[in-house]
Amino acid sequence: MSNTRKATIQDVSQLAELFDQYRVFYHKESDVSSAESFLKERIESKDSEIFVAENNGNLVGFVQLYPLFSSTRMCRYWLLNDLYVNENYRGKGYSKALIEEAKTLCRFSKAAGILLETGKNNDIGNQLYPACGFELYDSVNFYEWTNPEN
């Protein structure tokens, strides 16, 4: 099985390969160099928390969370923004192990919870997240404004 841990700057090169696979999965152009720069900046500036899953010393998956805050609860939330496991390692419990790392971070930081968004057609995610204790929150409308310059 896997070993999960917090990512370090030494992981960036290998992590960038996984991150690139993740982006390609979501129909973005492959760009390992930019992925490496992006991840290095996230780790160095402590903008996010990244946990990795390893198999025999090789990174096979990751989860990335960004901090948010709830004004009404007056405390932190975590946004589970990215979760990816290499296709050769899916179905072996890596995603669940990474989600458990996210839950541990939530508990340790005394956050109110973890929020995430996934597509309605993401059959795997829409089975995984409820199985890991997430509840579908359908009492609000989710809106997005997209910056036309970016």
Side-chain angles (χ1 to χ4, degrees):
M1 185 48 185
S2 75
N3 173 42
T4 57
R5 61 176 174 77
K6 186 172 179 173
T8 67
I9 201 71
Q10 290 77 25
D11 295 316
V12 167
S13 179
Q14 212 181 137
L15 183 56
E17 294 287 338
L18 277 174
F19 192 74
D20 191 63
Q21 292 170 24
Y22 167 76
R23 291 185 68 252
V24 168
F25 178 81
Y26 282 103
H27 312 290
K28 303 297 181 195
E29 292 292 321
S30 177
D31 188 347
V32 177
S33 175
S34 292
E36 189 167 339
S37 296
F38 179 81
L39 292 167
K40 184 176 183 221
E41 187 176 332
R42 296 294 72 72
I43 291 172
E44 288 179 343
S45 62
K46 298 181 169 112
D47 290 335
S48 69
E49 294 287 340
I50 305 172
F51 297 94
V52 294
E54 292 179 298
N55 182 290
N56 295 323
N58 295 314
L59 300 187
V60 299
F62 72 93
V63 64
Q64 182 166 214
L65 300 107
Y66 292 97
L68 300 171
F69 293 90
S70 168
S71 297
T72 56
R73 289 187 176 197
M74 295 188 295
C75 64
R76 178 187 308 264
Y77 264 98
W78 288 99
L79 173 65
L80 192 161
N81 201 70
D82 312 305
L83 175 64
Y84 181 78
V85 173
N86 177 279
E87 62 186 14
N88 297 324
Y89 295 90
R90 293 181 187 157
K92 300 180 187 324
Y94 292 101
S95 292
K96 288 182 179 178
L98 288 165
I99 288 172
E100 286 306 312
E101 284 284 5
K103 288 178 179 179
T104 298
L105 171 66
C106 183
R107 289 182 195 102
F108 179 76
S109 64
K110 297 183 177 17
I114 300 170
L115 303 171
L116 66 87
E117 167 193 352
T118 193
K120 292 185 183 289
N121 62 350
N122 180 352
D123 295 333
I124 293 171
N126 286 310
Q127 291 175 21
L128 171 67
Y129 297 123
C132 291
F134 286 81
E135 294 181 28
L136 183 61
Y137 192 67
D138 62 357
S139 62
V140 298
N141 292 328
F142 180 82
Y143 293 94
E144 176 182 9
W145 176 83
T146 302
N147 183 350
E149 297 173 12
N150 210 3

